[in-house]
Amino acid sequence: TFEIISRGGKYKIDLEQMTQTNLKTNRTRTIRIATRAISSPAIGFDHFRDAFRKRATDGQLTEQQLLKGWPAEDEQQEELIQATVKAVVKEMDLRQNRTVDMVEWNHFWAMERDSPSFHAGNEINLKLQQSLKQDPQVLGRMQMHFETAAGEDAGSGGGRLSTEGLKRACERLVQSPKNVLEKQWAQEVLKKDAEGEGFEEDEEFSYYDFLNVMLGRKRFK
């Protein structure tokens, strides 16, 4: 942790918990990396891929490459910018190899857009890290499944899945001849739905929601 002075106030920054505490009021809030520019579901994987290609010419992104293009504001101190970039790369690096590929980049920004909090997103990431050790390609396939199913839902803009869209994605996975991790997850989702523990008909699922459901972390109704 360290302290900064910003906008006339003094703050304690904790980049392990990703929190900022106002030392005068003792109020703590979660640091959110995302800006309003990516808060809309209309900002999707095509935008994320384009942004990645501009920064990582060889298909891998390092901390130094990201630091070069980090959008800094006048009141931000250099120490905070460097520490923030380091924390972001650490969070992106789900495979823990000290570089970030496009799949990890896409996942980070989609989670920044959709996740309700840092802690909620971190729970997903911890589960994904375990899954990636079993199958290094599972996250890329999950993104493909989500994009495909969301693209089939008229009016979603590719950023949300309907309940029927989620079921279609799961049914396709179950019918797949390959016994991959996500096929097992899809079988469990459809089983819960058949038992009456599924979803409301008008429910919508963001990328975060989709992973939550597939990883078994959503509380079924």
Side-chain angles (χ1 to χ4, degrees):
T1 64
F2 56 92
E3 296 179 2
I4 65 167
I5 296 174
S6 178
R7 299 181 295 277
K10 194 172 184 180
Y11 301 86
K12 181 176 73 175
I13 304 297
D14 185 336
L15 289 174
E16 288 297 320
Q17 297 298 319
M18 290 298 285
T19 58
Q20 171 181 296
T21 301
N22 185 311
L23 295 179
K24 182 178 180 180
T25 64
N26 206 34
R27 176 177 292 179
T28 299
R29 67 179 181 86
T30 301
I31 297 172
R32 300 297 292 157
I33 305 301
T35 66
R36 292 179 182 177
I38 67 161
S39 62
S40 167
I43 305 299
F45 287 97
D46 285 341
H47 296 86
F48 302 149
R49 282 188 282 263
D50 288 343
F52 180 82
R53 293 187 186 104
K54 290 176 182 177
R55 291 165 174 80
T57 54
D58 62 352
Q60 296 289 328
L61 185 68
T62 66
E63 186 178 317
Q64 287 303 313
Q65 286 173 309
L66 184 57
L67 186 60
K68 287 180 181 178
W70 191 259
E73 298 178 4
D74 292 340
E75 68 268 16
Q76 287 183 307
Q77 299 180 356
E78 184 177 350
E79 181 185 12
L80 177 58
I81 297 171
Q82 292 176 348
T84 300
V85 168
K86 184 175 183 178
V88 166
V89 171
K90 182 180 179 181
E91 187 177 346
M92 286 182 178
D93 184 17
L94 295 176
R95 296 186 182 89
Q96 300 176 308
N97 57 15
R98 298 187 180 182
T99 60
V100 174
D101 65 16
M102 186 181 289
V103 169
E104 292 169 319
W105 170 273
N106 291 345
H107 171 77
F108 175 86
W109 289 113
M111 291 290 283
E112 281 291 307
R113 180 193 64 193
D114 296 339
S115 179
S117 71
F118 169 78
H119 297 291
N122 192 50
E123 289 181 352
I124 292 291
N125 287 343
L126 290 174
K127 184 73 173 180
L128 281 172
Q129 284 179 338
Q130 297 172 9
S131 299
L132 285 165
K133 289 176 181 177
Q134 299 177 58
D135 183 346
Q137 306 305 317
V138 65
L139 181 57
R141 294 196 305 271
M142 290 296 285
Q143 290 177 10
M144 178 190 69
H145 299 318
F146 177 80
E147 281 195 275
T148 299
E152 294 170 346
D153 279 343
S156 74
R160 291 287 188 272
L161 265 180
S162 66
T163 299
E164 286 305 312
L166 174 64
K167 291 179 183 177
R168 283 197 307 270
C170 288
E171 288 164 357
R172 277 196 293 259
L173 280 166
V174 169
Q175 293 166 8
S176 170
K178 294 183 178 180
N179 192 31
V180 290
L181 281 175
E182 63 268 31
K183 179 176 181 176
Q184 300 168 36
W185 299 340
Q187 288 171 334
E188 183 63 22
V189 171
L190 292 177
K191 178 184 175 183
K192 291 288 186 181
D193 184 63
E195 293 172 348
E197 299 181 44
F199 314 99
E200 300 293 337
E201 289 301 317
D202 60 351
E203 213 166 338
E204 284 192 331
F205 301 87
S206 66
Y207 174 73
Y208 164 83
D209 297 326
F210 172 69
L211 292 178
N212 230 6
V213 170
M214 297 300 288
L215 292 169
R217 300 197 63 87
K218 182 181 175 68
R219 182 180 297 173
F220 286 84
K221 295 180 180 180

